[in-house]
Amino acid sequence: MEKQNEVVLFGTWASAFCKRVELALKIKGIPYEYVEEDLTNKSVSLLHYNPVHKKVPVLVHNGRPISESLVILEYIDECWNNTPKLLPEGPYQRAKVRFWVNFFDHQIMARLLPIIMTRGEEREKAIKEFNELLKVFEEGINKDFPEEFPFLEGKTLKYLDIVVGTALCNYEAFHEVVDVVFSHEKNPVIMAWVKALKNHPLMKETLPPHDKFVDKMREKYLGQYP
Amino acid sequence: MEKQNEVVLFGTWASAFCKRVELALKIKGIPYEYVEEDLTNKSVSLLHYNPVHKKVPVLVHNGRPISESLVILEYIDECWNNTPKLLPEGPYQRAKVRFWVNFFDHQIMARLLPIIMTRGEEREKAIKEFNELLKVFEEGINKDFPEEFPFLEGKTLKYLDIVVGTALCNYEAFHEVVDVVFSHEKNPVIMAWVKALKNHPLMKETLPPHDKFVDKMREKYLGQYP
């Protein structure tokens, strides 16, 4: 008998890229099996399903694998195209969301590692750059999606909420381990948004527990800088 | 009177990223105005329409700007959703195309500059890496889209054809100025594909003229290495 809508997600619990897929599946109400990968000892299945990048997340739907978190999110939205939709309906609004999601991934996410991995002046510079980019992002989304901000609790999570929330809702762990990188004073729209996102029941259910995440960051990054 | 479907493309003739938008508009049969930008002296309009990245291509549709070539291609396909479609219909096939287009941009395109800008051993290494990635790409698309290869002349150009064709159909200019970076022996599927793409009337109409492109590469890159 052929399996219908069998969904398996290969992920790792501390990765924001995996968390975005988990959250999208939950928002859509799609039942799935979750396989936690040990990235120091990748499973045969992961290497089989993502031979090109050998990375998580990988979504396997009825035996067919899809890799790369943003490609997976678009797939989920197209495949389970009942409400709630992750992307808006109009082509122009969709383009704007895609533009800002790419900006977030390629500019903002890409600056997090230098903040974590450097010290002293270098880190100051990285934090300054990060903040300038966050400012551009904040002003941009506020201008392009005036109807979305301030984000009201109880609203359905959409594409930008997923991408930004799974990355930034852990900011307290980040501040505890590394440094204060953003604040209400510097980034009021994003802080208000992230705080509201943190209280969303599906986000709460999806985010890694604070203490476990703090330990993971300490182990992973600070181990190198005793 | 409101303008209907006024389409303006800001681009620069030697950029593959701009050429992909031009080609997509032509495939769809969308009339447009083209504005050539001087990147050493960007126009006020460009800075106004793309204040975030200040880069071409920018598509302005009825006064509303969209930036980033892949975001623009998706927009064009969604907005003018008559045939021919650039992306396939099924969500899984769409995901596969997006995956390989991202691979092409982030892995393969990203390796072209190191080949151009380095010499000696460093270049040898860059070419080797480029070829290994091209091999992965070739095997991947051949496996994922068996119905598309070999590409037959006369077929309608689609998303992958646009992205790969506008980047690689100039390979003879590349070989003339820089080095032989790919060949029929090493990359038979891609070479056959690129050669067929080069003969497509819309591709011919869109690609920069060989001699002009050679001069541009010489001026831009080789000027730094007399």
Side-chain angles (χ1 to χ4, degrees), chain A residues 12-14 211-221:
Chain A
T12 182
W13 67 270
D211 292 348
K212 195 177 167 193
F213 195 66
V214 164
D215 287 348
K216 179 76 178 179
M217 285 183 78
R218 286 223 165 92
E219 171 205 319
K220 191 165 176 190
Y221 302 114

Side-chain angles (χ1 to χ4, degrees), chain A residues 117-149:
Chain A
M117 302 303 276
T118 58
R119 291 294 178 276
E121 260 182 52
E122 248 188 295
R123 170 181 284 171
E124 291 306 312
K125 190 167 160 276
I127 292 178
K128 193 165 167 278
E129 268 182 30
F130 178 81
N131 269 293
E132 285 165 1
L133 288 163
L134 215 55
K135 199 82 212 159
V136 171
F137 182 68
E138 177 166 288
E139 287 172 2
I141 55 171
N142 207 24
K143 179 174 147 280
D144 282 343
F145 313 108
E147 71 288 3
E148 300 285 343
F149 300 99

Side-chain angles (χ1 to χ4, degrees), chain A residues 161-197:
Chain A
D161 304 313
I162 294 169
V163 168
V164 172
T166 49
L168 299 186
C169 283
N170 290 308
Y171 70 94
E172 282 165 334
F174 206 83
H175 288 178
E176 196 172 322
V177 179
V178 182
D179 213 338
V180 174
V181 287
F182 63 99
S183 63
H184 182 69
E185 286 66 39
K186 286 187 283 191
N187 315 98
V189 173
I190 287 182
M191 273 310 264
W193 183 25
V194 166
K195 280 184 176 173
L197 289 176

